[in-house]
Coordinates of all heavy atoms in Angstrom, one line a residue:
M1 N 0.8 -1.2 0.0 CA 0.0 0.0 0.0 C 0.9 1.2 0.0 O 1.8 1.3 0.8 CB -0.9 0.0 1.2 CG -1.9 1.1 1.3 SD -3.0 1.0 0.0 CE -4.5 1.3 0.8
I2 N 0.5 2.2 -0.9 CA 1.3 3.4 -1.0 C 0.7 4.5 -0.1 O -0.6 4.6 -0.1 CB 1.3 3.9 -2.4 CG1 1.8 2.9 -3.4 CG2 2.1 5.2 -2.6 CD1 1.6 3.2 -4.8
D3 N 1.5 5.1 0.7 CA 1.0 6.2 1.5 C 0.7 7.4 0.6 O 1.3 7.6 -0.4 CB 2.0 6.7 2.6 CG 2.2 5.6 3.7 OD1 1.3 4.9 3.9 OD2 3.3 5.6 4.2
F4 N -0.3 8.2 1.0 CA -0.7 9.4 0.3 C 0.5 10.4 0.3 O 1.1 10.6 1.4 CB -1.9 10.1 0.8 CG -2.3 11.3 0.0 CD1 -2.9 11.2 -1.2 CD2 -1.9 12.6 0.5 CE1 -3.2 12.3 -1.9 CE2 -2.2 13.7 -0.3 CZ -2.9 13.5 -1.5
D5 N 0.9 10.9 -0.8 CA 2.0 11.8 -1.0 C 1.5 13.1 -1.7 O 1.4 13.0 -2.9 CB 3.1 11.1 -1.7 CG 4.4 12.0 -1.9 OD1 4.4 13.2 -1.5 OD2 5.4 11.4 -2.4
N6 N 1.2 14.1 -1.0 CA 0.7 15.3 -1.6 C 1.7 15.9 -2.6 O 1.4 16.5 -3.6 CB 0.4 16.4 -0.5 CG -0.6 17.4 -1.0 OD1 -1.5 17.0 -1.7 ND2 -0.3 18.7 -0.7
M7 N 3.0 15.7 -2.4 CA 4.0 16.2 -3.3 C 4.1 15.4 -4.6 O 4.4 15.9 -5.6 CB 5.4 16.3 -2.6 CG 5.5 17.4 -1.6 SD 4.9 19.0 -2.1 CE 6.1 19.4 -3.4
A8 N 3.6 14.1 -4.5 CA 3.5 13.3 -5.8 C 2.4 13.9 -6.6 O 2.6 14.0 -7.9 CB 3.3 11.9 -5.4
V9 N 1.3 14.4 -6.0 CA 0.3 15.0 -6.8 C 0.8 16.3 -7.4 O 0.7 16.5 -8.6 CB -0.9 15.4 -5.9 CG1 -2.0 16.1 -6.6 CG2 -1.5 14.1 -5.2
A10 N 1.5 17.1 -6.6 CA 2.1 18.4 -7.1 C 3.0 18.1 -8.3 O 2.9 18.8 -9.3 CB 2.8 19.0 -5.9
R11 N 4.0 17.2 -8.1 CA 4.9 16.9 -9.2 C 4.2 16.4 -10.5 O 4.6 16.8 -11.6 CB 6.0 15.9 -8.7 CG 6.9 16.4 -7.7 CD 8.1 15.5 -7.4 NE 7.6 14.2 -7.0 CZ 7.4 13.8 -5.7 NH1 7.6 14.7 -4.7 NH2 7.1 12.6 -5.4
T12 N 3.3 15.5 -10.3 CA 2.6 15.0 -11.4 C 1.8 16.0 -12.2 O 1.9 16.1 -13.5 CB 1.6 13.9 -11.0 OG1 2.3 12.8 -10.3 CG2 0.9 13.2 -12.2
V13 N 1.1 16.9 -11.5 CA 0.3 17.9 -12.2 C 1.2 18.9 -12.9 O 1.1 19.2 -14.1 CB -0.6 18.6 -11.2 CG1 -1.3 19.9 -11.9 CG2 -1.7 17.7 -10.7
Y14 N 2.3 19.3 -12.2 CA 3.3 20.2 -12.8 C 3.9 19.6 -14.1 O 4.0 20.2 -15.1 CB 4.3 20.5 -11.8 CG 5.4 21.4 -12.3 CD1 5.2 22.8 -12.5 CD2 6.7 20.9 -12.7 CE1 6.2 23.6 -13.1 CE2 7.6 21.7 -13.3 CZ 7.4 23.0 -13.4 OH 8.4 23.8 -14.0
K15 N 4.4 18.3 -13.9 CA 5.1 17.7 -15.1 C 4.1 17.6 -16.3 O 4.5 17.8 -17.4 CB 5.6 16.3 -14.7 CG 6.8 16.3 -13.8 CD 7.2 14.9 -13.4 CE 8.3 14.8 -12.5 NZ 8.6 13.5 -12.1
L16 N 2.9 17.1 -16.1 CA 1.9 17.0 -17.1 C 1.6 18.3 -17.8 O 1.6 18.5 -19.0 CB 0.6 16.4 -16.7 CG 0.7 14.9 -16.4 CD1 -0.6 14.4 -15.7 CD2 0.8 14.1 -17.7
R17 N 1.5 19.4 -17.0 CA 1.2 20.7 -17.5 C 2.4 21.2 -18.4 O 2.2 21.7 -19.5 CB 0.9 21.7 -16.4 CG 0.5 23.1 -16.9 CD 0.1 24.0 -15.8 NE 1.2 24.2 -14.8 CZ 2.2 25.0 -15.1 NH1 2.3 25.7 -16.2 NH2 3.1 25.2 -14.1
Q18 N 3.6 20.9 -17.9 CA 4.8 21.3 -18.6 C 4.9 20.6 -20.0 O 5.3 21.1 -21.0 CB 6.1 21.1 -17.8 CG 6.2 22.1 -16.6 CD 6.3 23.5 -17.0 OE1 7.1 23.9 -17.9 NE2 5.4 24.3 -16.4
E19 N 4.6 19.3 -19.9 CA 4.7 18.4 -21.1 C 3.7 18.9 -22.2 O 4.0 18.8 -23.4 CB 4.4 17.0 -20.8 CG 5.4 16.2 -20.0 CD 5.0 14.9 -19.5 OE1 3.9 14.4 -20.0 OE2 5.8 14.3 -18.7
K20 N 2.6 19.4 -21.7 CA 1.6 20.0 -22.7 C 1.9 21.4 -23.1 O 1.2 21.9 -24.0 CB 0.2 19.9 -22.0 CG -0.3 18.6 -21.6 CD -1.0 17.9 -22.8 CE -1.6 16.6 -22.3 NZ -2.2 15.8 -23.4
G21 N 2.9 22.0 -22.5 CA 3.3 23.4 -22.8 C 2.2 24.4 -22.4 O 2.1 25.4 -23.1
L22 N 1.5 24.2 -21.3 CA 0.5 25.0 -20.9 C 0.9 25.9 -19.7 O 1.5 25.4 -18.8 CB -0.7 24.2 -20.5 CG -1.4 23.3 -21.5 CD1 -2.4 22.4 -20.9 CD2 -2.0 24.2 -22.6
S23 N 0.5 27.2 -19.8 CA 0.8 28.0 -18.6 C -0.3 27.7 -17.5 O -1.3 27.0 -17.8 CB 0.6 29.5 -19.0 OG -0.7 29.8 -19.3
Q24 N -0.1 28.1 -16.3 CA -1.1 27.9 -15.3 C -2.4 28.6 -15.6 O -3.5 28.0 -15.4 CB -0.6 28.4 -13.9 CG 0.4 27.5 -13.3 CD 0.8 27.9 -11.9 OE1 0.5 29.1 -11.5 NE2 1.5 27.1 -11.1
E25 N -2.3 29.7 -16.2 CA -3.5 30.5 -16.6 C -4.3 29.7 -17.6 O -5.5 29.6 -17.5 CB -3.1 31.9 -17.2 CG -4.2 32.8 -17.4 CD -4.8 33.3 -16.1 OE1 -4.1 33.5 -15.1 OE2 -6.0 33.5 -16.1
V26 N -3.7 29.2 -18.7 CA -4.4 28.5 -19.7 C -4.9 27.2 -19.1 O -6.1 26.8 -19.3 CB -3.5 28.2 -20.9 CG1 -4.1 27.2 -21.9 CG2 -3.2 29.5 -21.6
F27 N -4.1 26.5 -18.4 CA -4.5 25.2 -17.8 C -5.7 25.4 -16.9 O -6.6 24.6 -16.9 CB -3.4 24.5 -17.1 CG -3.8 23.2 -16.6 CD1 -4.1 22.1 -17.4 CD2 -3.9 23.0 -15.2 CE1 -4.6 20.9 -16.9 CE2 -4.3 21.8 -14.6 CZ -4.6 20.8 -15.5
S28 N -5.6 26.4 -16.0 CA -6.7 26.6 -15.1 C -8.0 26.8 -15.8 O -9.1 26.4 -15.4 CB -6.4 27.8 -14.1 OG -6.4 29.0 -14.9
G29 N -8.0 27.5 -17.0 CA -9.2 27.7 -17.8 C -9.7 26.4 -18.3 O -10.9 26.2 -18.3
L30 N -8.8 25.5 -18.8 CA -9.3 24.2 -19.3 C -9.9 23.4 -18.2 O -10.8 22.6 -18.5 CB -8.0 23.5 -19.9 CG -7.4 24.1 -21.2 CD1 -6.1 23.4 -21.5 CD2 -8.4 24.0 -22.3
A31 N -9.3 23.5 -17.0 CA -9.8 22.7 -15.9 C -11.0 23.3 -15.2 O -11.7 22.6 -14.4 CB -8.7 22.4 -14.9
G32 N -11.3 24.6 -15.5 CA -12.4 25.2 -14.8 C -12.1 25.5 -13.3 O -13.0 25.5 -12.5
L33 N -10.8 25.8 -13.1 CA -10.3 26.1 -11.7 C -9.6 27.4 -11.7 O -9.1 27.9 -12.7 CB -9.4 25.0 -11.2 CG -10.0 23.6 -11.2 CD1 -8.8 22.6 -11.0 CD2 -10.9 23.5 -10.0
A34 N -9.5 28.1 -10.5 CA -8.8 29.3 -10.4 C -7.3 29.0 -10.6 O -6.8 28.0 -10.1 CB -9.0 30.0 -9.1
R35 N -6.6 30.0 -11.2 CA -5.1 29.8 -11.4 C -4.4 29.6 -10.0 O -3.5 28.8 -9.9 CB -4.5 31.0 -12.1 CG -3.1 30.7 -12.5 CD -2.2 31.9 -12.8 NE -2.1 32.7 -11.6 CZ -1.3 32.5 -10.5 NH1 -0.6 31.4 -10.5 NH2 -1.3 33.3 -9.5
S36 N -4.9 30.4 -9.0 CA -4.3 30.2 -7.7 C -4.5 28.8 -7.1 O -3.6 28.3 -6.4 CB -4.9 31.3 -6.7 OG -6.3 31.1 -6.6
H37 N -5.6 28.2 -7.5 CA -5.9 26.8 -7.0 C -4.8 25.9 -7.6 O -4.3 25.0 -6.9 CB -7.3 26.4 -7.4 CG -7.9 25.3 -6.7 ND1 -8.8 25.3 -5.8 CD2 -7.6 23.9 -6.8 CE1 -9.1 24.1 -5.3 NE2 -8.4 23.3 -6.0
I38 N -4.6 26.0 -8.9 CA -3.6 25.2 -9.6 C -2.2 25.5 -9.0 O -1.4 24.5 -8.7 CB -3.6 25.5 -11.1 CG1 -4.9 25.2 -11.8 CG2 -2.4 24.8 -11.8 CD1 -5.3 23.7 -11.7
S39 N -1.9 26.7 -8.8 CA -0.6 27.1 -8.2 C -0.4 26.4 -6.8 O 0.7 25.8 -6.5 CB -0.5 28.6 -8.0 OG 0.7 28.9 -7.4
M40 N -1.4 26.4 -6.0 CA -1.3 25.8 -4.6 C -1.2 24.3 -4.7 O -0.5 23.7 -4.0 CB -2.5 26.2 -3.8 CG -2.5 27.6 -3.3 SD -3.8 28.1 -2.2 CE -5.3 27.9 -3.1
I41 N -1.9 23.7 -5.7 CA -1.8 22.2 -5.9 C -0.4 21.9 -6.3 O 0.3 20.9 -5.8 CB -2.8 21.7 -6.9 CG1 -4.2 21.8 -6.3 CG2 -2.5 20.3 -7.4 CD1 -5.3 21.6 -7.3
E42 N 0.2 22.6 -7.3 CA 1.5 22.3 -7.8 C 2.6 22.6 -6.8 O 3.7 22.0 -6.9 CB 1.8 23.2 -9.1 CG 1.0 22.7 -10.3 CD 1.4 23.4 -11.5 OE1 2.2 24.3 -11.5 OE2 0.8 23.0 -12.6
S43 N 2.3 23.4 -5.8 CA 3.3 23.7 -4.8 C 3.2 22.7 -3.6 O 4.0 22.7 -2.7 CB 3.2 25.2 -4.3 OG 2.0 25.3 -3.5
G44 N 2.1 22.0 -3.6 CA 1.9 21.0 -2.5 C 1.2 21.7 -1.3 O 0.9 21.0 -0.3
A45 N 0.8 23.0 -1.5 CA 0.1 23.7 -0.4 C -1.4 23.3 -0.3 O -2.0 23.5 0.8 CB 0.2 25.2 -0.6
K46 N -1.9 22.7 -1.3 CA -3.4 22.4 -1.3 C -3.5 21.0 -1.8 O -2.9 20.6 -2.8 CB -4.1 23.3 -2.2 CG -5.6 23.1 -2.1 CD -6.4 24.3 -2.7 CE -7.8 24.2 -2.6 NZ -8.3 24.4 -1.2
Q47 N -4.3 20.2 -1.1 CA -4.6 18.8 -1.5 C -5.9 18.8 -2.3 O -6.9 19.2 -1.8 CB -4.8 18.0 -0.2 CG -5.1 16.5 -0.5 CD -5.2 15.7 0.8 OE1 -4.4 16.0 1.7 NE2 -6.1 14.8 0.8
P48 N -5.9 18.4 -3.6 CA -7.1 18.4 -4.4 C -8.1 17.3 -3.9 O -7.7 16.2 -3.5 CB -6.6 18.1 -5.8 CG -5.3 17.3 -5.6 CD -4.7 17.9 -4.3
N49 N -9.4 17.7 -4.0 CA -10.4 16.7 -3.7 C -10.7 15.9 -5.0 O -10.1 16.1 -6.0 CB -11.6 17.3 -3.1 CG -12.3 18.3 -4.1 OD1 -12.2 18.2 -5.3 ND2 -13.1 19.2 -3.5
F50 N -11.6 14.9 -4.9 CA -11.9 14.1 -6.1 C -12.4 14.9 -7.3 O -12.0 14.6 -8.4 CB -12.9 13.0 -5.7 CG -13.0 12.0 -6.8 CD1 -12.0 11.1 -7.1 CD2 -14.2 12.0 -7.6 CE1 -12.1 10.2 -8.2 CE2 -14.3 11.1 -8.6 CZ -13.3 10.2 -8.9
E51 N -13.3 15.8 -7.0 CA -13.8 16.6 -8.1 C -12.7 17.4 -8.8 O -12.6 17.5 -10.1 CB -14.8 17.7 -7.7 CG -15.4 18.5 -8.8 CD -16.4 19.6 -8.4 OE1 -16.7 19.7 -7.2 OE2 -16.8 20.3 -9.2
T52 N -11.7 17.9 -8.1 CA -10.6 18.6 -8.6 C -9.7 17.7 -9.4 O -9.3 18.0 -10.5 CB -9.8 19.3 -7.5 OG1 -10.7 20.2 -6.8 CG2 -8.6 20.1 -8.1
I53 N -9.5 16.5 -8.9 CA -8.7 15.5 -9.7 C -9.4 15.2 -11.0 O -8.8 15.1 -12.0 CB -8.5 14.2 -8.8 CG1 -7.6 14.4 -7.6 CG2 -8.0 13.0 -9.7 CD1 -6.1 14.6 -8.0
W54 N -10.7 15.0 -10.9 CA -11.5 14.7 -12.1 C -11.3 15.9 -13.1 O -11.1 15.6 -14.3 CB -13.0 14.6 -11.7 CG -13.9 14.1 -12.8 CD1 -14.3 14.7 -13.9 CD2 -14.4 12.7 -12.8 NE1 -15.1 13.9 -14.6 CE2 -15.2 12.7 -14.0 CE3 -14.3 11.6 -12.0 CZ2 -15.9 11.5 -14.4 CZ3 -15.0 10.5 -12.4 CH2 -15.8 10.4 -13.5
R55 N -11.5 17.1 -12.7 CA -11.3 18.3 -13.6 C -9.9 18.3 -14.2 O -9.8 18.6 -15.4 CB -11.6 19.6 -12.9 CG -13.1 19.8 -12.5 CD -13.3 21.0 -11.7 NE -14.6 21.2 -11.4 CZ -15.3 22.3 -11.9 NH1 -14.7 23.1 -12.7 NH2 -16.6 22.4 -11.6
I56 N -8.9 18.1 -13.4 CA -7.5 18.1 -13.8 C -7.3 17.0 -14.9 O -6.7 17.3 -15.9 CB -6.6 18.0 -12.7 CG1 -6.6 19.3 -11.8 CG2 -5.1 17.7 -13.1 CD1 -5.8 19.2 -10.5
A57 N -7.8 15.8 -14.6 CA -7.6 14.7 -15.5 C -8.3 15.1 -16.9 O -7.6 14.9 -17.9 CB -8.2 13.5 -14.9
C58 N -9.5 15.5 -16.8 CA -10.2 15.9 -18.1 C -9.5 17.0 -18.9 O -9.4 16.9 -20.1 CB -11.6 16.3 -17.8 SG -12.6 14.9 -17.2
A59 N -8.9 17.9 -18.2 CA -8.2 19.0 -18.8 C -6.9 18.5 -19.5 O -6.5 19.0 -20.5 CB -7.8 20.1 -17.8
F60 N -6.3 17.4 -19.0 CA -5.2 16.7 -19.6 C -5.6 15.7 -20.6 O -4.8 14.9 -21.2 CB -4.3 16.1 -18.5 CG -3.5 17.0 -17.8 CD1 -3.4 16.9 -16.4 CD2 -2.7 18.0 -18.4 CE1 -2.6 17.8 -15.6 CE2 -1.9 18.9 -17.6 CZ -1.9 18.7 -16.3
D61 N -6.9 15.5 -20.8 CA -7.5 14.5 -21.7 C -7.2 13.1 -21.3 O -6.8 12.2 -22.0 CB -7.0 14.8 -23.2 CG -7.9 14.1 -24.2 OD1 -9.1 13.9 -23.9 OD2 -7.4 13.8 -25.3
L62 N -7.2 12.9 -20.0 CA -7.0 11.6 -19.3 C -8.3 11.2 -18.6 O -9.1 12.1 -18.2 CB -5.9 11.7 -18.3 CG -4.5 12.1 -18.7 CD1 -3.6 12.3 -17.5 CD2 -3.9 10.9 -19.6
A63 N -8.5 10.0 -18.4 CA -9.5 9.5 -17.5 C -9.0 9.7 -16.1 O -7.8 9.6 -15.8 CB -9.8 8.0 -17.7
P64 N -9.9 10.0 -15.1 CA -9.4 10.2 -13.7 C -8.5 9.1 -13.2 O -7.5 9.3 -12.6 CB -10.7 10.3 -12.9 CG -11.6 10.9 -13.9 CD -11.3 10.2 -15.2
H65 N -8.8 7.8 -13.5 CA -8.0 6.7 -13.0 C -6.6 6.8 -13.6 O -5.6 6.3 -13.0 CB -8.7 5.4 -13.3 CG -8.6 4.9 -14.7 ND1 -9.5 5.2 -15.6 CD2 -7.6 4.0 -15.2 CE1 -9.1 4.6 -16.8 NE2 -8.0 3.9 -16.6
E66 N -6.4 7.3 -14.8 CA -5.1 7.4 -15.5 C -4.3 8.4 -14.7 O -3.1 8.2 -14.5 CB -5.2 7.8 -16.9 CG -5.8 6.7 -17.8 CD -6.1 7.2 -19.2 OE1 -6.8 8.2 -19.4 OE2 -5.6 6.5 -20.1
L67 N -4.9 9.5 -14.3 CA -4.2 10.5 -13.5 C -3.8 10.0 -12.2 O -2.6 10.1 -11.8 CB -5.0 11.8 -13.4 CG -4.4 12.9 -12.5 CD1 -3.0 13.4 -13.1 CD2 -5.3 14.1 -12.4
V68 N -4.7 9.2 -11.6 CA -4.4 8.6 -10.3 C -3.2 7.6 -10.4 O -2.3 7.6 -9.6 CB -5.6 8.0 -9.6 CG1 -5.3 7.2 -8.4 CG2 -6.6 9.1 -9.3
E69 N -3.2 6.8 -11.5 CA -2.1 5.9 -11.7 C -0.8 6.6 -11.8 O 0.2 6.2 -11.3 CB -2.4 5.1 -13.0 CG -3.5 4.0 -12.8 CD -3.9 3.3 -14.1 OE1 -3.5 3.8 -15.2 OE2 -4.7 2.4 -14.0
R70 N -0.8 7.7 -12.5 CA 0.5 8.5 -12.7 C 0.9 9.1 -11.3 O 2.1 9.1 -11.0 CB 0.3 9.7 -13.7 CG 0.1 9.2 -15.1 CD -0.2 10.3 -16.0 NE -0.4 9.8 -17.4 CZ 0.3 10.3 -18.5 NH1 1.1 11.3 -18.3 NH2 0.0 9.8 -19.7
I71 N 0.0 9.5 -10.5 CA 0.3 10.0 -9.2 C 0.9 8.9 -8.3 O 1.9 9.0 -7.6 CB -0.9 10.6 -8.5 CG1 -1.3 11.9 -9.3 CG2 -0.6 10.9 -7.0 CD1 -2.7 12.5 -8.9
E72 N 0.3 7.7 -8.4 CA 0.8 6.5 -7.7 C 2.2 6.2 -8.1 O 3.1 5.9 -7.3 CB -0.1 5.3 -7.9 CG -1.5 5.4 -7.3 CD -2.4 4.2 -7.6 OE1 -2.1 3.5 -8.7 OE2 -3.3 4.0 -6.9
R73 N 2.5 6.2 -9.4 CA 3.8 5.9 -9.9 C 4.8 7.0 -9.4 O 5.9 6.6 -9.0 CB 3.9 5.8 -11.4 CG 3.3 4.5 -12.0 CD 3.7 4.3 -13.4 NE 3.2 5.4 -14.3 CZ 2.1 5.4 -14.9 NH1 1.2 4.4 -14.7 NH2 1.7 6.4 -15.7
E74 N 4.4 8.2 -9.4 CA 5.3 9.3 -8.9 C 5.5 9.1 -7.4 O 6.6 9.3 -6.9 CB 4.6 10.6 -9.1 CG 5.4 11.8 -8.7 CD 6.7 12.0 -9.5 OE1 6.7 11.7 -10.7 OE2 7.7 12.4 -8.9
A75 N 4.5 8.7 -6.6 CA 4.7 8.4 -5.2 C 5.6 7.3 -5.0 O 6.5 7.3 -4.1 CB 3.3 8.1 -4.5
E76 N 5.5 6.2 -5.8 CA 6.5 5.1 -5.6 C 7.9 5.5 -6.0 O 8.8 5.1 -5.3 CB 6.0 4.0 -6.6 CG 4.8 3.2 -6.1 CD 4.3 2.3 -7.2 OE1 4.7 2.3 -8.3 OE2 3.4 1.5 -6.8
N77 N 8.1 6.3 -7.0 CA 9.4 6.7 -7.4 C 10.0 7.7 -6.4 O 11.2 7.7 -6.2 CB 9.3 7.4 -8.8 CG 9.0 6.4 -9.9 OD1 9.2 5.2 -9.8 ND2 8.5 6.9 -11.0
G78 N 9.1 8.5 -5.8 CA 9.6 9.5 -4.8 C 10.0 8.8 -3.5 O 10.7 9.4 -2.7
N79 N 9.6 7.6 -3.3 CA 10.0 6.9 -2.0 C 11.1 5.9 -2.2 O 11.4 5.1 -1.3 CB 8.7 6.1 -1.5 CG 7.7 7.0 -1.0 OD1 7.9 8.1 -0.5 ND2 6.4 6.6 -1.1
D80 N 11.8 6.0 -3.4 CA 13.0 5.1 -3.6 C 14.2 5.6 -2.9 O 14.4 6.7 -2.6 CB 13.2 4.9 -5.1 CG 12.2 4.1 -5.8 OD1 11.4 3.4 -5.1 OD2 12.1 4.2 -7.0

């Protein structure tokens, strides 16, 4: 069982956004979230709830479970 790692969420969202070449401003519009909300998630200051994970996944054109799998992999890699 993997422990919850808020920084794995932060790193995953940041990396995906960078890979897509999106600014926080553009990405926040795609996700329907405030830019400050995205900034706090990427810094690890805010833990996203399920609805936010859903919105973020859809903005990346991923199914929510695909985003969660990426976060799980990041958490596993961060604990090596």
Side-chain angles (χ1 to χ4, degrees):
M1 183 67 137
I2 303 168
D3 289 334
F4 182 78
D5 181 354
N6 203 42
M7 290 311 295
V9 176
R11 290 188 303 269
T12 302
V13 172
Y14 176 79
K15 286 178 185 178
L16 284 168
R17 186 176 60 76
Q18 292 297 310
E19 287 172 12
K20 299 276 187 182
L22 300 171
S23 66
Q24 285 184 345
E25 189 69 33
V26 170
F27 180 68
S28 67
L30 293 172
L33 300 166
R35 191 205 59 78
S36 60
H37 197 108
I38 298 298
S39 178
M40 289 188 292
I41 291 168
E42 288 186 356
S43 71
K46 185 165 186 71
Q47 179 178 324
N49 63 24
F50 187 73
E51 180 184 358
T52 302
I53 291 290
W54 192 284
R55 288 173 177 250
I56 288 170
C58 290
F60 284 134
D61 201 25
L62 297 170
H65 78 272
E66 292 174 307
L67 178 58
V68 171
E69 287 171 353
R70 289 176 185 232
I71 293 167
E72 288 174 341
R73 284 195 301 270
E74 183 66 36
E76 288 171 347
N77 292 338
N79 292 329
D80 291 342

